[in-house]
């Protein structure tokens, strides 16, 4: 017998199931399945050898086999799945603050999507899968002439929203951008309305209003944000868009008219679906996929919910199943932890990106840099006079965007580098989306590049603790600048960025100005005025049919496509 064959035979022996497992399994399946599943017991098991010689998954499999069987037809769902489905179907939202905040998030998110359309890297991915396709009664994509099926519509809207990393943010053990879910929510609501008005009967013939969309946003924010509070997906290498997919799947399932059990089924499908790796957000692979990852999550959510609507069942213990469940395969065997029940906490406390199109952990650092820029200007000095900068910061900032010496290869690298963002502000007194582009003044500036490598980050444990404190949730950064002549400037500390709950009222005029600024490249002055005024009339806005509101954003001949 060849050495290869001997090795294969030995491996086969090792992988066979112990006889006691085969016998127990046989009692729980049909005779045909039992005959097909029974395997000879390995020699070690027959001779009484210790269990450590068997394949490593056997202990878990045996434990699963000996557990008390669940009665046929009454499979129990993981409680985490049941809680989400129950929240979506049975929890009323009665928080005026949550609805008011959701309205601001809604217009801000749409504005961010329109701004994303100004970048070719974004628009090249948009439109129908087959050029020229128009879906009757389909989802319309704001700022474009596209009318698509709801799956691709969710991708289009989700991708343009997230492209510039300028929409809202949630920071906890896991970070993310809960308004990413609007890609799926708006696509489904618009499609259902148009289909039903054309004689269809989706979701019982329902017509969604903007208020319905705001409620769905509140619930999607809550699901994504509460799962993120104590559970770090990035620490096991998974991207936060898994939470967009789960949250979107949950809320659109109810929108589609699925019952609570079907919604649970759809949520399980979202967890069992393949999860994105974070590698596209980090050196050496930082690239543009991070900008369309949320769109991908939105389209997967819609696709899965539609499959369940057609009768596809769920995977009840997708999280907890021994060996093959999410916890054992992808979460190092840990179960999710929860800080609070689902309500409206996340929407009420969400963070707006107001001042700068910058990754959120850097917002306060960029604000501090702007103050230092003005201080240097008043002293008759500039960024060229800086010898070094120490950034006192929190752990998440260091883990995500500390890239002191890593070369800046592309847009995605620059908008996820705290040193680059601070250097641009210290050099030019500004930070715009154009400053991340290849060939731009900032990207080609020798002074920016030199200064970038002079900025070092140091963790302050108190800043990290405050970042996780549910009563604070600050994102603190402090900059200390040393000049070439030996002068050390007083540290400039900013703890809460302008879009933080603690500065919400201060931020609202800036959020509105940002929205108006993002409308102007796409629409005439009259349309901009109409949309801005409508955004400030809550009752009128919330009563509008979603399709009629989306029609206000349609551009038949966009100069950006």
């Amino acid at each position: 017998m060849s050495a290869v064959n001997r090795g294969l035979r030995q491996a086969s022996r090792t992988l066979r199931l112990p006889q006691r497992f085969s016998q127990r399994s046989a009692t729980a399946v049909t005779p045909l399945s039992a005959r097909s599943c029974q395997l000879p017991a390995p020699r070690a098991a027959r001779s009484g050898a210790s269990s450590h010689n068997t394949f490593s998954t056997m202990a878990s499999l045996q434990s699963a086999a000996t557990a008390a069987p669940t009665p046929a037809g009454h499979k129990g769902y993981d409680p985490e799945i049941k809680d989400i489905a129950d929240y979506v179907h049975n929890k009323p939202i009665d928080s005026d603050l949550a609805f008011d905040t959701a309205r601001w998030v809604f217009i801000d998110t749409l504005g961010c999507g329109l701004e994303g359309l100004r970048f070719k890297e974004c628009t090249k991915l948009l439109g129908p899968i087959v050029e020229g396709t128009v879906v009757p009664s389909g989802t319309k994509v704001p700022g474009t002439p596209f009318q698509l099926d709801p799956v691709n519509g969710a991708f289009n809207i989700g991708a343009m929203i997230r492209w510039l990393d300028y929409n809202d943010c949630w920071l906890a053990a896991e970070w993310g951008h809960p308004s990413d879910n609007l890609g799926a929510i708006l696509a489904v609501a618009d499609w259902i309305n148009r289909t039903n008005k054309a004689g269809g009967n989706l979701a019982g013939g329902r017509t969604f209003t903007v208020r319905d969309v705001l409620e769905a946003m509140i619930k999607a924010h809550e699901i994504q944000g509460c799962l993120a509070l104590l559970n770090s997906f990035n620490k096991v290498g998974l991207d936060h868009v898994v939470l967009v997919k789960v949250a979107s799947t949950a809320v659109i399932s109810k929108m589609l008219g699925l019952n609570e059990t079907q919604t649970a089924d759809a949520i399980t499908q979202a967890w069992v679906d393949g999860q994105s790796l974070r590698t596209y957000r980090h050196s050496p692979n930082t690239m543009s996929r991070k900008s369309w990852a949320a769109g991908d999550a939105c389209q997967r959510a819609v696709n899965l919910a539609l499959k369940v609507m057609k009768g596809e069942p769920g995977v009840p213990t997708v999280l907890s199943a021994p060996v093959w469940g999410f916890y054992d395969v992808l979460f190092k065997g840990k179960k999710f932890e929860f800080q609070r029940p689902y309500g409206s906490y996340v929407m009420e406390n969400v963070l707006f990106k107001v001042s700068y199109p910058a990754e959120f952990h850097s917002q306060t650092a960029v604000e501090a840099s702007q103050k230092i820029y003005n201080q240097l200007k008043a002293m008759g000095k500039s960024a060229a006079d800086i010898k070094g900068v120490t950034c006192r910061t929190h752990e998440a900032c260091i883990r995500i965007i500390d890239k002191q010496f890593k070369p800046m290869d592309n847009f995605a690298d620059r908008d996820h580098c705290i040193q680059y963002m601070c250097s641009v502000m210290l050099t030019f007194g500004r930070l715009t989306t154009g400053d991340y582009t290849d060939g731009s003044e900032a990207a080609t500036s020798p002074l920016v590049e030199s200064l970038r490598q002079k900025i070092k980050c140091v963790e302050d444990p108190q800043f990290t603790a405050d970042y996780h404190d549910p009563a604070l949730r600050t994102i603190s950064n402090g900059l200390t600048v040393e000049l070439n002549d030996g002068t050390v400037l007083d540290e400039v500390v900013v703890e809460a960025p302008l879009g933080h709950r603690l500065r919400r009222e201060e931020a609202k005029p800036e959020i509105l100005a940002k929205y108006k600024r993002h409308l102007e490249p796409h629409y005439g002055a009259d349309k901009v005025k109409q949309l801005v005024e409508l955004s400030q009339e809550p009752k009128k806005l919330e009563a509008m049919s979603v399709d009629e509101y989306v029609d206000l954003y349609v551009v038949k001949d966009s100069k950006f496509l």
Side-chain angles (χ1 to χ4, degrees), residues 260-339:
E260 189 173 337
T261 299
Q262 290 173 308
T263 296
D265 287 336
I267 295 167
T268 68
Q269 290 288 355
W271 283 116
V272 82
D273 199 18
Q275 313 306 341
S276 297
L277 302 179
R278 280 190 63 86
T279 186
Y280 48 71
R281 298 188 190 276
H282 298 277
S283 177
N285 294 314
T286 314
M287 51 89 68
S288 56
R289 179 162 180 160
K290 75 179 184 62
S291 298
W292 55 263
D296 181 58
C298 287
Q299 74 173 349
R300 288 173 182 265
V302 179
N303 189 22
L304 292 170
L306 290 175
K307 282 180 168 59
V308 172
M309 190 169 75
K310 293 179 178 180
E312 187 67 13
V315 189
T317 57
V318 60
L319 298 175
S320 65
V323 182
W324 313 117
F326 181 90
Y327 289 150
D328 278 0
V329 175
L330 295 174
F331 219 58
K332 298 188 182 298
K334 292 180 59 180
K335 295 183 66 175
F336 295 150
E337 298 177 46
F338 294 88
Q339 184 185 90

Side-chain angles (χ1 to χ4, degrees), residues 172-346:
E174 184 60 51
W175 36 84
H177 310 273
S179 60
D180 290 349
N181 293 285
L182 184 61
I185 294 167
L186 191 63
V188 168
D190 191 37
W191 169 62
I192 289 175
N193 279 14
R194 296 183 193 280
T195 300
N196 289 345
K197 288 184 177 182
N201 191 35
L202 291 170
R206 184 174 177 182
T207 299
F208 287 92
T209 65
V210 171
R211 185 173 177 87
D212 294 323
V213 167
L214 299 184
E215 181 175 356
M217 290 173 66
I218 292 168
K219 291 194 172 184
H221 271 62
E222 190 74 358
I223 294 166
Q224 179 174 347
C226 285
L227 281 165
L229 284 172
L230 299 178
N231 305 295
S232 178
F233 294 81
N234 60 81
K235 285 188 176 180
V236 296
L238 299 181
D239 195 30
H240 55 71
V241 294
V242 60
L243 300 182
V244 175
K245 181 169 53 176
V246 169
S248 285
T249 300
V251 296
I252 65 170
S253 292
K254 183 174 185 293
M255 292 171 67
L256 287 165
L258 275 61
N259 62 35
E260 189 173 337
T261 299
Q262 290 173 308
T263 296
D265 287 336
I267 295 167
T268 68
Q269 290 288 355
W271 283 116
V272 82
D273 199 18
Q275 313 306 341
S276 297
L277 302 179
R278 280 190 63 86
T279 186
Y280 48 71
R281 298 188 190 276
H282 298 277
S283 177
N285 294 314
T286 314
M287 51 89 68
S288 56
R289 179 162 180 160
K290 75 179 184 62
S291 298
W292 55 263
D296 181 58
C298 287
Q299 74 173 349
R300 288 173 182 265
V302 179
N303 189 22
L304 292 170
L306 290 175
K307 282 180 168 59
V308 172
M309 190 169 75
K310 293 179 178 180
E312 187 67 13
V315 189
T317 57
V318 60
L319 298 175
S320 65
V323 182
W324 313 117
F326 181 90
Y327 289 150
D328 278 0
V329 175
L330 295 174
F331 219 58
K332 298 188 182 298
K334 292 180 59 180
K335 295 183 66 175
F336 295 150
E337 298 177 46
F338 294 88
Q339 184 185 90
R340 60 197 314 115
Y342 296 115
S344 54
Y345 172 81
V346 176

Side-chain angles (χ1 to χ4, degrees), residues 315-449:
V315 189
T317 57
V318 60
L319 298 175
S320 65
V323 182
W324 313 117
F326 181 90
Y327 289 150
D328 278 0
V329 175
L330 295 174
F331 219 58
K332 298 188 182 298
K334 292 180 59 180
K335 295 183 66 175
F336 295 150
E337 298 177 46
F338 294 88
Q339 184 185 90
R340 60 197 314 115
Y342 296 115
S344 54
Y345 172 81
V346 176
M347 181 62 80
E348 292 166 357
N349 289 275
V350 77
L351 301 159
F352 288 85
K353 287 188 179 180
V354 181
S355 303
Y356 320 104
E359 201 281 339
F360 214 97
H361 294 88
S362 71
Q363 289 279 319
T364 51
V366 177
E367 186 173 342
S369 298
Q370 188 169 34
K371 293 180 179 181
I372 293 168
Y373 171 84
N374 293 329
Q375 183 179 356
L376 290 173
K377 189 175 180 180
M379 296 168 62
K381 295 183 180 296
S382 71
D385 296 297
I386 295 176
K387 179 180 180 180
V389 181
T390 299
C391 177
R392 187 162 59 100
T393 188
H394 47 290
E395 183 272 340
C397 177
I398 292 175
R399 183 142 46 97
I400 306 169
I401 54 174
D402 180 9
K403 301 178 182 177
Q404 184 176 5
F405 300 110
K406 195 265 177 197
M408 297 287 97
D409 295 330
N410 50 41
F411 189 115
D413 254 340
R414 297 181 190 104
D415 82 345
H416 269 57
C417 174
I418 189 172
Q419 286 87 358
Y420 181 83
M421 292 180 274
C422 290
S423 295
V424 172
M425 179 58 75
L426 289 167
T427 300
F428 300 110
R430 66 161 198 262
L431 182 63
T432 69
T433 53
D435 290 322
Y436 300 119
T437 305
D438 292 349
S440 66
E441 179 184 28
T444 58
S445 167
L447 179 56
V448 168
E449 177 58 20

Side-chain angles (χ1 to χ4, degrees), residues 486-499:
T487 302
V488 177
L489 304 182
D490 290 339
E491 183 184 48
V492 178
V493 178
V494 181
E495 296 182 311
L498 186 56

Side-chain angles (χ1 to χ4, degrees), residues 113-114 116-118 122-123 126-128 139-148 153 156-157 160 522-523 550-561:
L114 293 170
L117 293 177
R118 298 177 63 194
C122 176
T123 57
L126 305 185
T139 295
K140 291 188 178 181
V141 180
T144 81
F146 302 139
Q147 188 164 9
L148 311 171
N156 276 242
I157 299 171
M160 56 192 269
H522 300 270
Y523 308 106
V550 170
D551 280 341
L552 297 177
Y553 288 86
V554 170
V555 176
K556 293 183 178 180
D557 187 20
S558 172
K559 61 186 176 183
F560 300 111
L561 300 176

